[in-house]
Amino acid sequence: MTAAATHGPILVALGANLPSERFGGPRETLEAALAELERRGVHVLRRSRWYETAPVPVSDQPWYVNGMAAVETGLGPEALLAVLHAIEAEFGRVRAERNAPRVVDLDLVAYGELVRPGPEAPILPHPRAAERAFVLLPLAEVAPGWRHPGRGETVEALIARLPRDQRIRLAHEG
């Protein structure tokens, strides 16, 4: 399916807070992940700027680099999620524990207006997307006015309700 066929954007969140032996720092790893998506036939239509974000929940691990991409693909949600997980594995991500530091994290945030509460995978939209500044601020850049498929609220309304303790800033260009 394409973004047009799903009546809304297909959204992929990107994040990293550990360096990669292969690519360098988190930003370089995420740039390489975007290129790998393209190589695998997932076309990046729009992408956000990079943000630096404190870990959620708060911990002593390094800050993350986060961004968002609106993509187009002929893959369904399960196949797209499989591609995202394959890229993570190829880039050195080890899934040991939840909220652990990571070399790369690629999350399928939304697949058009598709709502799947579970138990099938992927759960759509991503179950914690509406609670995370590191998802919503970059999302607002690539899909202003986006409405959460399950809640019907705009991304701007969701941002306004975020807890004020989530620390996020634009990453320095360079």
Side-chain angles (χ1 to χ4, degrees):
M1 282 187 216
T2 64
T6 61
H7 304 291
I10 300 171
L11 299 167
V12 175
L14 303 98
N17 72 336
L18 294 177
S20 160
E21 289 182 21
R22 185 171 164 199
F23 301 108
R27 186 189 300 207
E28 292 78 16
T29 302
L30 297 176
E31 292 285 352
L34 287 169
E36 185 63 19
L37 282 170
E38 289 280 353
R39 193 182 75 69
R40 294 182 186 222
V42 179
H43 180 60
V44 177
L45 299 172
R46 292 177 305 286
R47 55 178 279 192
S48 70
R49 295 173 289 179
W50 296 118
Y51 287 80
E52 295 173 344
T53 60
V56 176
V58 174
S59 72
D60 62 355
Q61 62 180 281
W63 278 45
Y64 282 79
V65 175
N66 290 99
M68 181 70 63
V71 303
E72 185 174 61
T73 180
L75 301 172
E78 294 84 1
L80 177 56
L81 184 62
V83 167
L84 298 178
H85 287 174
I87 293 170
E88 288 178 340
E90 182 181 312
F91 278 40
R93 168 134 187 221
V94 176
R95 289 179 179 271
E97 62 184 73
R98 190 173 180 180
N99 299 318
R102 56 202 65 170
V103 170
V104 66
D105 186 21
L106 305 175
D107 285 330
L108 181 55
V109 172
Y111 196 93
E113 295 176 4
L114 188 58
V115 175
R116 291 181 17 186
E120 65 275 352
I123 296 171
L124 293 167
H126 190 284
R128 291 171 301 285
E131 305 161 4
R132 305 289 199 234
F134 63 81
V135 171
L136 295 176
L137 271 66
L139 191 158
E141 285 187 34
V142 299
W146 176 80
R147 288 194 174 276
H148 187 285
R151 300 178 180 199
E153 297 172 277
T154 65
V155 64
E156 292 81 8
L158 293 169
I159 289 170
R161 284 207 334 269
L162 284 170
R164 299 293 171 215
D165 64 344
Q166 292 187 38
R167 299 182 323 186
I168 183 169
R169 62 185 178 230
L170 276 173
H172 299 301
E173 295 299 316

